Amino acid sequence: MAKIFGVIGLLTASLWAVMALAQTPPNSVEAFGVSQQGGKVIVKLTLKEALRTQPGSFTIANPARIAIDLPNTVNGLGRSSQSIGEGQLMSMNMVQAGGRTRMVLNLNQLVGYDTQIDGKNLLVILAGAPVTSGSGGGAVTHFVEAKQNDTHAVRDIDFRRGKSGDGRIVVDLSDNSTGIDIRTQGQNLVVDFFKTSLPDKLRRRLDVTDFGTPVQSINTFTQGDNVRMVISPTGQWENSAYQTDNRFVIDVKKVVPSPNKLTPTGFTGEKLSLNFQNVEVRSVLNVIADFTNLNIITSDSVRGNLTLRLKDVPWDQALHIILDARGLDMRKNGNVIWIAPRDELATKEKLALEAQQQIGELEPVRTESFVLNYEKAKDVQALLTSPNQRVLSKRGSAVVDERTNTLFVQDVPSRLEEVRKLITQVDVPVRQVMIEARIVEANDTWSKNLGARLGYNQAVPGGDYLGGPALRTNIGGTLQNTAANTANATNTQVASTIVGTPALDTSGLLNNNVNLPASGLNGFNAGSIAAVLYNRNFTRFISLELSALEADGKGKIISSPRVLTGDKVEALIEQGTQIPYQMATSSGATAVSFVKANLSLRVKPQITPDGNIIMDLEINNDSVGATTASGIAINTKHVKTSVLVENGGTVVIGGIYIQTLSKTTTKVPLFGDLPVVGNLFKNTADTDNKSELLVFITPRIVDDRLTVR
């Protein structure tokens, strides 16, 4: 029973507390003011009752806004918006909903801010100009300026998929004063956290492709004392960022072009909404002037009313629509815009140009001399007086003094200023390029030749048959020498044994039945061995000569022409021989002409802005060939091409590889096919020749202060 009464008492106390809270009168915003102190904008919000705690706040990067929530507070200002135009602060909006009031500060660009409670006043202190940089390829959005001695930390990194398929990166920070910069770098979004540490478990690359958002990966790493996060989206996307207390959120949304979208490419102004019924055009232009802080001057001839309804349209597009609707046009000079009817603007511009032309025709001419350092004065004169596009006026003229390379120009002062700018751009030193070509010819030859000479000779008809009991042989280097030695020995033997018998003539030994000797190669004769077999009575002879030759040769020819030339200037270097030949003239007589057999390099380089070199190349490597009945032949190797090479790099622009394989057999039919013995009745020649030609090109840009080795 006691427990039941205790519970009832607890519920009753809670109910009274809720009723007391419900009966608590809400706070109220009584006044709003803006001032500037020391380059900072201070927003002062006066409330009916002092705030007990700091109000919640967050920022949005695109569009740049700062939102501050006041709980249990109503708007007592009597207005929901106010235009300001102080520093980066454009306007203020006050929205009341759900028992709280949200104050939104609309900024030109996001700046750092701080909130302070001073009695019944809430002070919002906005920093000066935002920090911007173009080093990353886009504007840098600076959220908070980090103090010099502050140290921060990243506690957690999370990725979520939004309801509309957008990618949301949530970063939990140790405090809300961490300095943050956001910029686009190429296709990536780069976020820098200054003076911030990163735990080892968060130093990683997150692959979030499976979430189906524009974000593909998130790479977080340390860079010095800072933490850098690189977000890699794909396709067309846009991003927005905001910070609430210690939580920093980046949303990456996919941009889907709509066919009904009114915003074409090219309008980048801040969006606004306009709804006017039969209002004067001047009044609408004044609204745009107040919204953009531009100075708009309207001509007296701008009249009429306009009915307009635009929602979330860039202000520059809205201005373009208004001007088109009323046949108006504008001219912008700095932050001043002059608006008038098109015909009126065209007439005034035409009158201004005609007046300027009349002044030019009546303006006295002046003469000025230009001493050219690198360009020829005659070439500059042709450029100034070219009939296709004349730089000088009708009254202008240009004279050249070739001895001093001086150009004298006479014209009105405005044209002389243009000539001076033109000569400044043209009269510059030409960068030089050293081009080295290396032509390598490599030859590898191998050949083998085998042959035989076989003969049978009967000196005395009717003598003994070959193969008798006494056979004689004679072996020598060649068949000629061996036959001579055999003749000497035979004559001596015959004279001593057969008295009265004349000496035998063995010259018939050279009349071979098989004559297939090995031929010489490269000017060298084949090696040979010969033998003569004869009977005792010197009446029958068998002669045999075996010849063989094997040649193996390797050679390399390296040609390296070099030439130094200027940018876009063709150069030629050649070395070789001029071969004379006879040719008929028109009169019927003969005359001597010459044809070149040269090693030549013709090149025209062009230096690209990134330091590479484009070359138009033509290389000839000709040599004197064989002598024919019509004259001397010329062996030609020719390469013509255009290549792109990096400075100091080497490229192979051409190559020719030739391999010749041949095997030739000359033999006596039937006898040459016999095993082993058939080698005495045939000649075999094997050839394996290889040749290769390579052309290497190396360009180098010559520094004015250095020399090329």
Side-chain angles (χ1 to χ4, degrees), residues 6 65 120 163 209 248 260 305 346 402 463 479 504 509 550 554 601 639 657 659 662 694:
R65 293 175 181 174
K120 297 183 179 181
K163 295 181 179 179
T209 308
F248 177 69
N260 299 323
N305 296 340
E402 295 185 0
L479 188 57
L504 297 177
L509 294 176
E550 181 174 339
K554 297 180 184 294
L601 169 64
V639 177
Y657 178 80
Q659 182 178 13
S662 65
L694 295 175

PDB file of all heavy atoms in Angstrom, residues 6 65 120 163 209 248 260 305 346 402 463 479 504 509 550 554 601 639 657 659 662 694:
ATOM      1  N   GLY A   6       3.407   5.829  -2.883  1.00  0.00           N
ATOM      2  CA  GLY A   6       4.673   6.447  -3.317  1.00  0.00           C
ATOM      3  C   GLY A   6       4.709   6.684  -4.809  1.00  0.00           C
ATOM      4  O   GLY A   6       5.145   7.727  -5.289  1.00  0.00           O
ATOM      5  N   ARG A  65      25.552  30.553 -45.057  1.00  0.00           N
ATOM      6  CA  ARG A  65      24.600  30.964 -44.033  1.00  0.00           C
ATOM      7  C   ARG A  65      25.085  30.522 -42.660  1.00  0.00           C
ATOM      8  O   ARG A  65      25.796  29.516 -42.537  1.00  0.00           O
ATOM      9  CB  ARG A  65      23.215  30.359 -44.304  1.00  0.00           C
ATOM     10  CG  ARG A  65      22.529  30.894 -45.558  1.00  0.00           C
ATOM     11  CD  ARG A  65      21.232  30.163 -45.822  1.00  0.00           C
ATOM     12  NE  ARG A  65      20.581  30.648 -47.035  1.00  0.00           N
ATOM     13  CZ  ARG A  65      19.505  30.113 -47.563  1.00  0.00           C
ATOM     14  NH1 ARG A  65      18.953  29.053 -46.991  1.00  0.00           N
ATOM     15  NH2 ARG A  65      18.962  30.620 -48.660  1.00  0.00           N
ATOM     16  N   LYS A 120      21.379  40.463 -21.274  1.00  0.00           N
ATOM     17  CA  LYS A 120      20.235  40.102 -22.099  1.00  0.00           C
ATOM     18  C   LYS A 120      20.562  40.134 -23.593  1.00  0.00           C
ATOM     19  O   LYS A 120      19.667  39.919 -24.412  1.00  0.00           O
ATOM     20  CB  LYS A 120      19.064  41.054 -21.818  1.00  0.00           C
ATOM     21  CG  LYS A 120      18.538  40.977 -20.387  1.00  0.00           C
ATOM     22  CD  LYS A 120      17.341  41.909 -20.219  1.00  0.00           C
ATOM     23  CE  LYS A 120      16.783  41.812 -18.797  1.00  0.00           C
ATOM     24  NZ  LYS A 120      15.587  42.693 -18.613  1.00  0.00           N
ATOM     25  N   LYS A 163      18.383  10.240 -48.235  1.00  0.00           N
ATOM     26  CA  LYS A 163      17.129   9.744 -48.801  1.00  0.00           C
ATOM     27  C   LYS A 163      17.074   9.938 -50.312  1.00  0.00           C
ATOM     28  O   LYS A 163      16.471   9.133 -51.019  1.00  0.00           O
ATOM     29  CB  LYS A 163      15.952  10.453 -48.136  1.00  0.00           C
ATOM     30  CG  LYS A 163      15.812  10.158 -46.645  1.00  0.00           C
ATOM     31  CD  LYS A 163      14.604  10.868 -46.060  1.00  0.00           C
ATOM     32  CE  LYS A 163      14.448  10.558 -44.568  1.00  0.00           C
ATOM     33  NZ  LYS A 163      13.276  11.261 -43.973  1.00  0.00           N
ATOM     34  N   THR A 209      31.671   2.831 -52.911  1.00  0.00           N
ATOM     35  CA  THR A 209      30.994   2.707 -54.206  1.00  0.00           C
ATOM     36  C   THR A 209      29.678   1.959 -54.081  1.00  0.00           C
ATOM     37  O   THR A 209      28.699   2.272 -54.780  1.00  0.00           O
ATOM     38  CB  THR A 209      31.922   1.995 -55.199  1.00  0.00           C
ATOM     39  OG1 THR A 209      33.183   2.650 -55.232  1.00  0.00           O
ATOM     40  CG2 THR A 209      31.338   2.000 -56.599  1.00  0.00           C
ATOM     41  N   PHE A 248      30.838  18.002 -38.037  1.00  0.00           N
ATOM     42  CA  PHE A 248      30.997  18.650 -39.346  1.00  0.00           C
ATOM     43  C   PHE A 248      30.453  17.692 -40.411  1.00  0.00           C
ATOM     44  O   PHE A 248      30.851  16.523 -40.474  1.00  0.00           O
ATOM     45  CB  PHE A 248      32.470  18.969 -39.606  1.00  0.00           C
ATOM     46  CG  PHE A 248      32.739  19.562 -40.959  1.00  0.00           C
ATOM     47  CD1 PHE A 248      32.304  20.832 -41.275  1.00  0.00           C
ATOM     48  CD2 PHE A 248      33.410  18.834 -41.928  1.00  0.00           C
ATOM     49  CE1 PHE A 248      32.545  21.382 -42.525  1.00  0.00           C
ATOM     50  CE2 PHE A 248      33.651  19.362 -43.177  1.00  0.00           C
ATOM     51  CZ  PHE A 248      33.214  20.649 -43.473  1.00  0.00           C
ATOM     52  N   ASN A 260      12.972  21.175 -67.693  1.00  0.00           N
ATOM     53  CA  ASN A 260      12.159  22.345 -67.371  1.00  0.00           C
ATOM     54  C   ASN A 260      12.890  23.354 -66.502  1.00  0.00           C
ATOM     55  O   ASN A 260      12.290  24.313 -66.030  1.00  0.00           O
ATOM     56  CB  ASN A 260      10.885  21.899 -66.642  1.00  0.00           C
ATOM     57  CG  ASN A 260      10.048  20.979 -67.502  1.00  0.00           C
ATOM     58  OD1 ASN A 260       9.962  21.159 -68.714  1.00  0.00           O
ATOM     59  ND2 ASN A 260       9.430  19.981 -66.871  1.00  0.00           N
ATOM     60  N   ASN A 305       5.316  49.098 -67.083  1.00  0.00           N
ATOM     61  CA  ASN A 305       5.066  48.193 -65.966  1.00  0.00           C
ATOM     62  C   ASN A 305       5.398  46.755 -66.378  1.00  0.00           C
ATOM     63  O   ASN A 305       5.525  46.440 -67.564  1.00  0.00           O
ATOM     64  CB  ASN A 305       3.620  48.292 -65.499  1.00  0.00           C
ATOM     65  CG  ASN A 305       3.305  49.677 -64.943  1.00  0.00           C
ATOM     66  OD1 ASN A 305       4.204  50.421 -64.567  1.00  0.00           O
ATOM     67  ND2 ASN A 305       2.027  50.016 -64.903  1.00  0.00           N
ATOM     68  N   ALA A 346      22.922  51.577 -78.486  1.00  0.00           N
ATOM     69  CA  ALA A 346      23.632  51.414 -79.754  1.00  0.00           C
ATOM     70  C   ALA A 346      23.922  52.760 -80.400  1.00  0.00           C
ATOM     71  O   ALA A 346      25.008  52.985 -80.952  1.00  0.00           O
ATOM     72  CB  ALA A 346      22.809  50.533 -80.694  1.00  0.00           C
ATOM     73  N   GLU A 402      68.075  49.057 -92.354  1.00  0.00           N
ATOM     74  CA  GLU A 402      68.643  47.715 -92.208  1.00  0.00           C
ATOM     75  C   GLU A 402      70.021  47.744 -91.567  1.00  0.00           C
ATOM     76  O   GLU A 402      70.433  46.764 -90.941  1.00  0.00           O
ATOM     77  CB  GLU A 402      68.714  47.042 -93.579  1.00  0.00           C
ATOM     78  CG  GLU A 402      67.358  46.786 -94.211  1.00  0.00           C
ATOM     79  CD  GLU A 402      67.474  46.022 -95.508  1.00  0.00           C
ATOM     80  OE1 GLU A 402      68.615  45.699 -95.894  1.00  0.00           O
ATOM     81  OE2 GLU A 402      66.431  45.741 -96.141  1.00  0.00           O
ATOM     82  N   GLY A 463      97.915 -48.879-122.163  1.00  0.00           N
ATOM     83  CA  GLY A 463      98.810 -49.228-121.056  1.00  0.00           C
ATOM     84  C   GLY A 463      98.125 -50.169-120.078  1.00  0.00           C
ATOM     85  O   GLY A 463      97.047 -50.699-120.324  1.00  0.00           O
ATOM     86  N   LEU A 479      95.292 -28.533-107.209  1.00  0.00           N
ATOM     87  CA  LEU A 479      95.429 -29.488-108.298  1.00  0.00           C
ATOM     88  C   LEU A 479      96.496 -29.033-109.286  1.00  0.00           C
ATOM     89  O   LEU A 479      97.219 -29.856-109.857  1.00  0.00           O
ATOM     90  CB  LEU A 479      94.083 -29.664-109.006  1.00  0.00           C
ATOM     91  CG  LEU A 479      94.015 -30.784-110.044  1.00  0.00           C
ATOM     92  CD1 LEU A 479      94.384 -32.129-109.421  1.00  0.00           C
ATOM     93  CD2 LEU A 479      92.631 -30.836-110.677  1.00  0.00           C
ATOM     94  N   LEU A 504     106.447 -37.858-120.521  1.00  0.00           N
ATOM     95  CA  LEU A 504     104.982 -37.808-120.571  1.00  0.00           C
ATOM     96  C   LEU A 504     104.455 -36.405-120.228  1.00  0.00           C
ATOM     97  O   LEU A 504     104.968 -35.712-119.339  1.00  0.00           O
ATOM     98  CB  LEU A 504     104.393 -38.823-119.598  1.00  0.00           C
ATOM     99  CG  LEU A 504     104.729 -40.299-119.895  1.00  0.00           C
ATOM    100  CD1 LEU A 504     104.136 -41.178-118.818  1.00  0.00           C
ATOM    101  CD2 LEU A 504     104.254 -40.692-121.269  1.00  0.00           C
ATOM    102  N   LEU A 509      95.869 -33.704-116.624  1.00  0.00           N
ATOM    103  CA  LEU A 509      95.311 -33.844-115.273  1.00  0.00           C
ATOM    104  C   LEU A 509      94.382 -32.696-114.906  1.00  0.00           C
ATOM    105  O   LEU A 509      93.538 -32.826-114.026  1.00  0.00           O
ATOM    106  CB  LEU A 509      96.460 -33.938-114.250  1.00  0.00           C
ATOM    107  CG  LEU A 509      97.350 -35.191-114.341  1.00  0.00           C
ATOM    108  CD1 LEU A 509      98.486 -35.090-113.348  1.00  0.00           C
ATOM    109  CD2 LEU A 509      96.544 -36.445-114.098  1.00  0.00           C
ATOM    110  N   GLU A 550      84.967 -21.044 -95.248  1.00  0.00           N
ATOM    111  CA  GLU A 550      83.954 -20.566 -94.300  1.00  0.00           C
ATOM    112  C   GLU A 550      84.347 -19.162 -93.864  1.00  0.00           C
ATOM    113  O   GLU A 550      85.488 -18.940 -93.437  1.00  0.00           O
ATOM    114  CB  GLU A 550      83.852 -21.496 -93.087  1.00  0.00           C
ATOM    115  CG  GLU A 550      82.787 -21.058 -92.084  1.00  0.00           C
ATOM    116  CD  GLU A 550      82.598 -22.051 -90.966  1.00  0.00           C
ATOM    117  OE1 GLU A 550      82.975 -23.224 -91.154  1.00  0.00           O
ATOM    118  OE2 GLU A 550      82.065 -21.664 -89.904  1.00  0.00           O
ATOM    119  N   LYS A 554      81.600  -9.606 -88.664  1.00  0.00           N
ATOM    120  CA  LYS A 554      80.742  -8.731 -87.871  1.00  0.00           C
ATOM    121  C   LYS A 554      81.249  -7.302 -88.052  1.00  0.00           C
ATOM    122  O   LYS A 554      82.448  -7.054 -88.029  1.00  0.00           O
ATOM    123  CB  LYS A 554      80.757  -9.102 -86.392  1.00  0.00           C
ATOM    124  CG  LYS A 554      80.218 -10.497 -86.095  1.00  0.00           C
ATOM    125  CD  LYS A 554      80.253 -10.795 -84.609  1.00  0.00           C
ATOM    126  CE  LYS A 554      79.813 -12.227 -84.324  1.00  0.00           C
ATOM    127  NZ  LYS A 554      78.410 -12.436 -84.660  1.00  0.00           N
ATOM    128  N   LEU A 601      70.895  15.414 -92.211  1.00  0.00           N
ATOM    129  CA  LEU A 601      69.871  15.554 -91.182  1.00  0.00           C
ATOM    130  C   LEU A 601      69.172  16.887 -91.410  1.00  0.00           C
ATOM    131  O   LEU A 601      69.782  17.942 -91.327  1.00  0.00           O
ATOM    132  CB  LEU A 601      70.483  15.501 -89.774  1.00  0.00           C
ATOM    133  CG  LEU A 601      69.567  15.886 -88.606  1.00  0.00           C
ATOM    134  CD1 LEU A 601      68.400  14.904 -88.489  1.00  0.00           C
ATOM    135  CD2 LEU A 601      70.348  15.935 -87.287  1.00  0.00           C
ATOM    136  N   VAL A 639      64.549   8.279 -93.937  1.00  0.00           N
ATOM    137  CA  VAL A 639      63.494   8.325 -92.921  1.00  0.00           C
ATOM    138  C   VAL A 639      62.933   9.737 -92.910  1.00  0.00           C
ATOM    139  O   VAL A 639      63.687  10.709 -92.832  1.00  0.00           O
ATOM    140  CB  VAL A 639      64.011   7.950 -91.515  1.00  0.00           C
ATOM    141  CG1 VAL A 639      62.893   8.078 -90.490  1.00  0.00           C
ATOM    142  CG2 VAL A 639      64.565   6.543 -91.502  1.00  0.00           C
ATOM    143  N   TYR A 657      65.529  -4.202 -90.441  1.00  0.00           N
ATOM    144  CA  TYR A 657      66.224  -5.459 -90.125  1.00  0.00           C
ATOM    145  C   TYR A 657      66.066  -6.391 -91.324  1.00  0.00           C
ATOM    146  O   TYR A 657      64.961  -6.662 -91.781  1.00  0.00           O
ATOM    147  CB  TYR A 657      65.634  -6.093 -88.871  1.00  0.00           C
ATOM    148  CG  TYR A 657      66.279  -7.421 -88.510  1.00  0.00           C
ATOM    149  CD1 TYR A 657      67.495  -7.465 -87.849  1.00  0.00           C
ATOM    150  CD2 TYR A 657      65.658  -8.623 -88.832  1.00  0.00           C
ATOM    151  CE1 TYR A 657      68.084  -8.676 -87.516  1.00  0.00           C
ATOM    152  CE2 TYR A 657      66.234  -9.834 -88.514  1.00  0.00           C
ATOM    153  CZ  TYR A 657      67.454  -9.859 -87.849  1.00  0.00           C
ATOM    154  OH  TYR A 657      68.031 -11.053 -87.521  1.00  0.00           O
ATOM    155  N   GLN A 659      67.495 -10.162 -92.950  1.00  0.00           N
ATOM    156  CA  GLN A 659      68.214 -11.422 -92.769  1.00  0.00           C
ATOM    157  C   GLN A 659      68.077 -12.229 -94.053  1.00  0.00           C
ATOM    158  O   GLN A 659      66.977 -12.429 -94.565  1.00  0.00           O
ATOM    159  CB  GLN A 659      67.667 -12.209 -91.586  1.00  0.00           C
ATOM    160  CG  GLN A 659      68.435 -13.512 -91.336  1.00  0.00           C
ATOM    161  CD  GLN A 659      67.914 -14.255 -90.117  1.00  0.00           C
ATOM    162  OE1 GLN A 659      66.852 -13.936 -89.606  1.00  0.00           O
ATOM    163  NE2 GLN A 659      68.676 -15.241 -89.665  1.00  0.00           N
ATOM    164  N   SER A 662      70.339 -18.635 -97.276  1.00  0.00           N
ATOM    165  CA  SER A 662      70.339 -19.358 -98.558  1.00  0.00           C
ATOM    166  C   SER A 662      71.234 -20.590 -98.450  1.00  0.00           C
ATOM    167  O   SER A 662      72.226 -20.588 -97.711  1.00  0.00           O
ATOM    168  CB  SER A 662      70.832 -18.452 -99.692  1.00  0.00           C
ATOM    169  OG  SER A 662      72.184 -18.107 -99.495  1.00  0.00           O
ATOM    170  N   LEU A 694      69.240   1.244 -87.260  1.00  0.00           N
ATOM    171  CA  LEU A 694      68.453   1.933 -86.243  1.00  0.00           C
ATOM    172  C   LEU A 694      68.810   3.407 -86.258  1.00  0.00           C
ATOM    173  O   LEU A 694      69.982   3.775 -86.402  1.00  0.00           O
ATOM    174  CB  LEU A 694      68.706   1.352 -84.851  1.00  0.00           C
ATOM    175  CG  LEU A 694      68.269  -0.105 -84.619  1.00  0.00           C
ATOM    176  CD1 LEU A 694      68.704  -0.560 -83.244  1.00  0.00           C
ATOM    177  CD2 LEU A 694      66.771  -0.250 -84.786  1.00  0.00           C
TER     178      LEU A 694
END
